[in-house]
Amino acid sequence: MSHFGRTGPPDIRDTYSLLVLNITFRTSADDLYPLFDKYGKVVDIFIPRDRRTGDSRGFAFVRYKYAEEAQKAVEKLDGRNVDGRNIMVQFAKYGPNAEPIKKGRVVEPASRTRFKSRSRSPRRRYRDDNRGRDRRRSRSRSRDRSDRDRYHGKDRDRYRSRSRSLSPDYHRGRGRDRHDDDRARSRSRSLGSASPTRRSPSPKRSRSPRRSPGSRGASSRSRDGRSATPRSASPRRRGADSRSPSPRNSDADD
DNA sequence: GTTGAGCGTT
């Protein structure tokens, strides 16, 4: 999804990709376009975004028509303050197909390398030999937290259902079974071989042991539409829910 | 609303 072309990469055959790092998460291609376009003909600008969230990942790719212009932009825009943060512009070493770009050859003088060395933090270390996507996973520590949080939300349902849809191997192996197993184990641990007597901590402290996984499970199931059957659980649940007209209003225990 | 090493989409 480029701002110039809605159909993926326009033409990388005669374009030089530049990698812009350290940009703010709110910086968009439109914000970088005028900056890079000033130093050369920008063919296209692409900013990788999260598939789930859709927000910028913190870096962008700027495609130049000529390497010389790209090189110039790298030297000029590299370290430029954008939106409050200094961006880092450098030639992209890898293409979209995980193929090394032969064109975007880094041609920087030795003197400049030294200059950049002291200007740049040594912490920036390219992957030694691993170029797989594993790095991507561990790349976002903070992002992982967000993703994890999301997994606890509603998005999780979407992924799960989708996974099952395009995962014939898991047609009925993992996923649900695993959940069941987990639940079964949980239950078994609750009142199973675990120490039942020892399981009782200070009774006077445990005032609200209402933390039961059943609540979540029921909710999840409802979403699935599998065991909707409100009729089955109706009799019992209705009684509990029907505590509204309960004559016990003096019981302010809760 | 947050975060910060890094390499990309139809």
Side-chain angles (χ1 to χ4, degrees):
Chain A
M1 278 196 216
S2 314
H3 269 242
F4 302 89
R6 308 219 169 166
T7 49
D11 49 350
I12 56 176
R13 54 196 180 178
D14 285 335
T15 57
Y16 300 87
S17 299
L18 259 60
L19 176 65
V20 186
L21 298 173
N22 215 25
I23 63 174
T24 60
F25 298 99
R26 306 175 294 198
T27 303
S28 55
D30 293 337
D31 298 335
L32 300 176
Y33 179 73
L35 279 168
F36 286 82
D37 188 59
K38 286 190 302 184
Y39 296 96
K41 180 67 169 68
V42 177
V43 183
D44 176 49
I45 299 182
F46 170 63
I47 298 184
R49 303 184 297 175
D50 189 284
R51 304 298 178 88
R52 279 79 69 178
T53 63
D55 50 355
S56 304
R57 281 159 67 175
F59 65 95
F61 287 97
V62 181
R63 281 216 194 92
Y64 274 96
K65 189 66 178 65
Y66 302 101
E68 48 189 21
E69 293 180 345
Q71 175 66 27
K72 187 167 59 180
V74 174
E75 296 181 23
K76 300 298 185 188
L77 295 177
D78 182 29
R80 182 63 61 91
N81 188 279
V82 178
D83 199 49
R85 287 183 80 91
N86 69 305
I87 64 176
M88 296 191 297
V89 184
Q90 55 190 239
F91 277 90
K93 300 180 185 71
Y94 306 97
N97 301 115
E99 292 180 4
I101 298 178
K102 302 125 190 143
K103 293 184 177 226
R105 197 153 95 194
V106 181
V107 284
E108 51 182 344
S111 57
R112 204 183 143 64
T113 307
R114 199 174 47 202
F115 178 79
K116 281 174 64 165
S117 279
R118 68 132 183 222
S119 186
R120 200 160 281 164
S121 298
R123 69 175 177 191
R124 238 173 91 278
R125 195 94 164 163
Y126 303 117
R127 54 232 160 282
D128 299 343
D129 53 354
N130 186 353
R131 181 176 72 61
R133 2 166 58 111
D134 293 344
R135 174 202 56 70
R136 239 168 40 141
R137 293 237 185 105
S138 53
R139 122 182 96 87
S140 48
R141 315 191 286 273
S142 48
R143 276 305 244 286
D144 275 352
R145 282 199 283 105
S146 293
D147 288 351
R148 233 142 257 201
D149 286 350
R150 272 186 195 80
Y151 265 65
H152 287 267
K154 54 187 183 285
D155 285 357
R156 183 185 55 160
D157 304 322
R158 198 177 67 185
Y159 295 136
R160 197 158 72 87
S161 66
R162 193 169 74 149
S163 274
R164 283 168 62 188
S165 283
L166 49 85
S167 289
D169 292 344
Y170 297 158
H171 58 280
R172 116 174 135 70
R174 267 89 119 130
R176 191 163 68 78
D177 282 4
R178 191 180 59 157
H179 277 260
D180 270 347
D181 191 18
D182 240 5
R183 279 204 305 109
R185 265 195 300 168
S186 250
R187 206 186 315 166
S188 191
R189 209 189 330 179
S190 262
L191 47 84
S193 55
S195 17
T197 45
R198 195 175 294 175
R199 199 80 185 115
S200 311
S202 329
K204 72 170 152 185
R205 223 164 95 155
S206 290
R207 195 55 149 172
S208 28
R210 296 286 188 162
R211 295 287 185 264
S212 193
S215 182
R216 189 174 68 87
S219 186
S220 192
R221 286 240 184 121
S222 279
R223 174 211 62 81
D224 215 357
R226 284 179 102 273
S227 39
T229 62
R231 194 177 291 170
S232 293
S234 212
R236 205 176 61 156
R237 271 188 62 165
R238 271 221 334 239
D241 282 358
S242 289
R243 65 167 186 230
S244 289
S246 194
R248 311 181 304 164
N249 49 358
S250 303
D251 201 10
D253 197 2
D254 195 312

